[in-house]
Amino acid sequence: MAPFDLFFEHANDPLVVIDDRGRVVSANARFADLLEEERAALVGSPLADWIASDREAFASALADTDRRGLGYELTLRRRSGGHVPVHASTSLAVWEGRRLTLLACRAGVALTTLDGATEQRLRTLSLVVEQSPESVAVTDLEGRITYVNDAFVRHSGYAREEVLGQNPRLLQSGRTPRATYDALWKALRRSETWEGEFYNRRKDGSEYLERALVAPIRDADGAVTSYLAIKTDITRERALEQQLATHRLHLEQLVADRTVELERARIAAEAANVAKTAFLANMSHEIRTPMNTIVALSQMLRDECNDPTKAALAGRVSGAAQQLLGIVVDVLQFAKLEAGLLGVERAPFSPHDLVAMIAAAAAKSAAAKGIELRVELDTLPPTLVGDATRVSEILRNYVSNAVKFTHAGSVRIVGRVASADAGRAVVRFEVHDTGIGVSNEQARQLFAPFEQADPSTTRRYGGTGLGLAIVRRIADLLGGEVGVESTPAVGSTFWLQCAFGLEPAGRAPGSRPSPPTTLRPSASAPDSSPPASRVVAAAEAVRLAADLRGLRALLADDDAAAIDGYAPLREALRSRFGPLAEALDRQLETFAFADALESVDQMLAAG
């Protein structure tokens, strides 16, 4: 069967193939039916014998290869003598060195009215392969090229006449592995489709990469008559893929290098953090211990000295040491907060006992200035669950500032339940004073680090400006809020609002409030009365266990106020705990606060 029969055997239109002499090489069944002739009788006969119109014009048109694909109007003669008008278009091919022409005819009703549409359809059908952007080539079973389209010519650089009848190895560059060709022919011999890639060379010597699909083409009887190859130039695509792969590898290397750098930095930062933690812990102990010693001994000298001048000097030493100790404590506390070294605990505690101990610790300073110190714990439950140490730090700062900046009048510590539900209460603590007060603009700066309401405040009252910044950081740790309301020359109210747990057996919020406690200034001279007598007035209503918990909070914070807080408890503790209290006495005399903390824990455990 002729090579091009497979393209038109089952076509809807009559098709015929003629050679360069105009003789019929092959015709499909529809063409034979159109002429009312046997196909065998058509093969070898001149096509001109079947043309009833101008034969010479048609022969001239066939010789004009530039008109390939265009339409012609012909009248064909049937065997019965009748004529049939057709619209025909041609396509050129070469087979085994022979020039062949495919003639596609369309006969039908109302040809004149369908001429434009018919011509467009025939043009589309005949040129669909020719104008494909993919390279298309057809070979015979021996591998000789019988057809190529325009894309093949464009990609390879060869003219049709240079490749027709040639083997596709004409394009080989030598870079395609031999195994690729072996796999190709192995698949074709099994009548299977093959897909792969070829490294080919153009006519000008440049190389390009093609992705190819090669498939066998069968005739109506299923026999393979030729091979079809459809190829795509993927040179640019592969180059982009390689560039992307290179960039990806480079990026992965950068990420790996950066990861190593970050890991080294993390290890170094952790080592630095460990060193910083050790340094802060060591500095906290090394600085506070001698300062506590200076404070305690200077107070003892002041209280026991009979010479008023020397007592006054000892008092000044004590005051200066306490001020310096406060600065050191603030700086170290702020550094710990910055380093994230302070945690939060949750344990039951008595808010009444906690506030009473804070008031007791501040009573001495308040009495010295003639300030009334009042505690009003409105409807607070007897027990809250939270971090008593952190709450104590905030309230002690508030009370200390209130006493420091108040020259006359009073300081009130107020506590009340803001809201409550099952197992939880939001408590608001407030410290009111009748001190110097600040403006609204100044109040907005108070909780920022190193800020005070007025620069002259530092010169007059001292301090680092860190206290309230520490208060805000601690409140953040507790999940609470802090703030201030103030009026210049009238006073200020500093507050803390925070959520606490409630013990199941504890008294519910809203029950009977605790009576207010007032610590009034002593009528005696503040500098000449013993410390114990000034503390007992504030702590006599506080149970011994509560006093111990307050003392423990001071010891845990290395606060020199623990010595003053212990003094009124000495006899009661000795009476109750005997040798354990005597050991605590010695530990406080030598400022061994860590050991003293263990002793207090043993007392609390013993009840």
Side-chain angles (χ1 to χ4, degrees):
M1 182 177 287
F4 286 98
D5 285 351
L6 58 96
F7 292 114
F8 56 78
E9 184 61 35
H10 299 287
N12 291 326
D13 296 326
L15 303 176
V16 62
V17 177
I18 59 176
D19 59 18
D20 54 358
R21 293 183 297 171
R23 295 183 177 275
V24 176
V25 175
S26 180
N28 68 356
R30 288 187 177 276
F31 188 85
D33 292 342
L34 180 67
L35 299 185
E36 300 174 345
E37 183 60 272
E38 296 294 332
R39 295 172 65 180
L42 290 173
V43 175
S45 66
L47 181 61
D49 292 349
W50 301 94
I51 296 177
S53 56
D54 189 347
R55 300 177 182 177
E56 293 183 0
F58 176 67
S60 176
L62 290 179
D64 186 358
T65 58
D66 291 337
R67 287 182 55 81
R68 183 176 68 253
L70 298 182
Y72 304 93
E73 297 298 332
L74 297 176
T75 300
L76 299 180
R77 179 180 57 80
R78 287 176 169 165
R79 181 180 179 182
S80 62
H83 293 174
V84 58
V86 298
H87 180 85
S89 61
T90 60
S91 296
L92 175 67
V94 176
W95 175 259
E96 297 181 347
R98 293 188 298 164
R99 174 181 167 182
L100 302 177
T101 300
L102 171 66
L103 187 68
C105 303
R106 168 60 63 89
V109 180
L111 182 61
T112 56
T113 60
L114 298 177
D115 184 69
T118 302
E119 183 174 356
Q120 181 61 38
R121 182 180 178 189
L122 291 175
R123 183 189 298 273
T124 301
L125 290 173
S126 62
L127 297 181
V128 63
V129 174
E130 190 64 38
Q131 296 181 2
S132 171
E134 312 294 339
S135 294
V136 177
V138 178
T139 70
D140 59 19
L141 296 180
E142 299 301 323
R144 291 185 293 266
I145 298 173
T146 60
Y147 171 79
V148 294
N149 67 349
D150 286 343
F152 182 99
V153 173
R154 197 164 52 248
H155 293 159
S156 67
Y158 287 97
R160 280 185 174 80
E161 293 75 11
E162 294 177 300
V163 296
L164 292 177
Q166 299 292 324
N167 191 287
R169 69 171 62 94
L170 173 73
L171 303 175
Q172 291 182 5
S173 65
R175 295 183 57 198
T176 303
R178 182 64 201 174
T180 300
Y181 297 112
D182 292 342
L184 165 65
W185 284 108
K186 184 176 181 181
L188 294 180
R189 291 189 188 101
R190 294 196 302 263
S191 299
E192 297 174 353
T193 299
W194 177 88
E195 292 184 63
E197 295 179 356
F198 296 123
Y199 286 95
N200 286 336
R201 181 181 288 116
R202 298 184 179 91
K203 182 178 180 180
D204 62 8
S206 62
E207 295 183 358
Y208 62 110
L209 180 64
E210 286 186 311
R211 181 183 296 119
L213 184 148
V214 182
I217 299 178
R218 297 174 175 84
D219 61 14
D221 299 326
V224 176
T225 59
S226 58
Y227 300 115
L228 170 69
I230 302 175
K231 301 185 291 181
T232 304
D233 187 343
I234 60 171
T235 307
R236 180 176 175 79
E237 177 184 333
R238 184 57 52 83
L240 290 175
E241 290 176 356
Q242 292 175 348
Q243 290 178 11
L244 288 175
T246 300
H247 289 314
R248 184 178 65 254
L249 292 174
H250 180 61
L251 181 59
E252 290 175 353
Q253 185 61 46
L254 290 177
V255 171
D257 293 343
R258 184 56 177 163
T259 301
V260 172
E261 292 176 4
L262 291 175
E263 179 63 17
R264 291 173 180 169
R266 184 189 64 81
I267 294 173
E270 289 180 352
N273 192 50
V274 170
K276 179 168 63 176
T277 303
F279 172 77
L280 289 174
N282 185 61
M283 289 301 295
S284 178
H285 175 74
E286 294 299 326
I287 294 177
R288 287 183 176 189
T289 299
M291 290 304 301
N292 282 327
T293 304
I294 294 172
V295 170
L297 292 178
S298 60
Q299 287 178 346
M300 291 174 59
L301 287 174
R302 180 196 62 191
D303 295 336
E304 297 177 5
C305 184
N306 295 323
D307 186 335
T309 302
K310 292 181 180 179
L313 291 175
R316 293 180 64 180
V317 171
S318 176
Q322 285 180 327
Q323 183 179 1
L324 180 58
L325 180 60
I327 293 173
V328 170
V329 169
D330 283 351
V331 171
L332 290 175
Q333 185 82 328
F334 189 77
K336 287 182 179 180
L337 285 166
E338 286 287 294
L341 301 179
L342 290 186
V344 175
E345 297 179 352
R346 287 185 60 82
F349 71 95
S350 168
H352 301 268
D353 297 346
L354 182 144
V355 172
M357 280 302 301
I358 292 172
K364 177 180 175 181
S365 299
K369 300 179 69 173
I371 299 171
E372 180 183 75
L373 185 59
R374 185 175 178 82
V375 176
E376 302 172 7
L377 303 182
D378 179 27
T379 70
L380 282 187
T383 304
L384 295 175
V385 179
D387 195 324
T389 301
R390 302 298 170 225
V391 174
S392 174
E393 289 172 345
I394 294 176
L395 295 182
R396 280 194 290 113
N397 184 283
Y398 282 172
V399 173
S400 174
N401 282 344
V403 172
K404 179 166 65 173
F405 292 108
T406 300
H407 303 298
S410 65
V411 172
R412 292 188 303 124
I413 307 173
V414 179
R416 60 185 174 83
V417 175
S419 64
D421 53 28
R424 181 177 179 273
V426 176
V427 177
R428 185 180 179 93
F429 292 100
E430 297 176 349
V431 177
H432 304 263
D433 66 58
T434 57
I436 59 175
V438 295
S439 66
N440 290 335
E441 182 179 354
Q442 292 170 329
R444 285 192 291 268
Q445 304 174 6
L446 287 180
F447 290 92
F450 309 104
E451 290 287 349
Q452 290 188 328
D454 191 313
S456 62
T457 303
T458 302
R459 294 191 296 270
R460 183 175 180 182
Y461 296 98
T464 61
L466 283 175
L468 293 178
I470 293 173
V471 162
R472 168 155 286 173
R473 298 294 179 89
I474 294 175
D476 290 341
L477 283 177
L478 295 174
E481 296 179 295
V482 293
V484 59
E485 301 166 3
S486 186
T487 303
V490 175
S492 303
T493 298
F494 286 83
W495 55 268
L496 161 69
Q497 186 160 302
C498 188
F500 297 92
L502 293 174
E503 286 207 310
R507 180 165 54 87
S511 59
R512 186 178 59 83
S514 301
T517 302
T518 303
L519 308 181
R520 300 184 183 280
S522 173
S524 58
D527 287 338
S528 59
S529 60
S533 63
R534 297 197 300 274
V535 177
V536 168
E540 60 186 0
V542 182
R543 295 172 301 169
L544 187 60
D547 291 336
L548 277 174
R549 284 194 291 270
L551 179 62
R552 188 191 184 286
L554 296 173
L555 289 171
D557 206 32
D558 274 352
D559 195 326
I563 297 175
D564 282 342
Y566 167 71
L569 308 176
R570 180 184 287 111
E571 295 304 323
L573 292 177
R574 284 185 175 181
S575 174
R576 184 176 181 83
F577 296 105
L580 188 58
E582 292 177 2
L584 175 62
D585 201 22
R586 291 191 299 271
Q587 291 159 354
L588 290 176
E589 287 179 357
T590 58
F591 307 102
F593 282 7
D595 296 334
L597 186 61
E598 292 183 5
S599 296
V600 171
D601 285 340
Q602 293 178 33
M603 292 178 183
L604 288 171

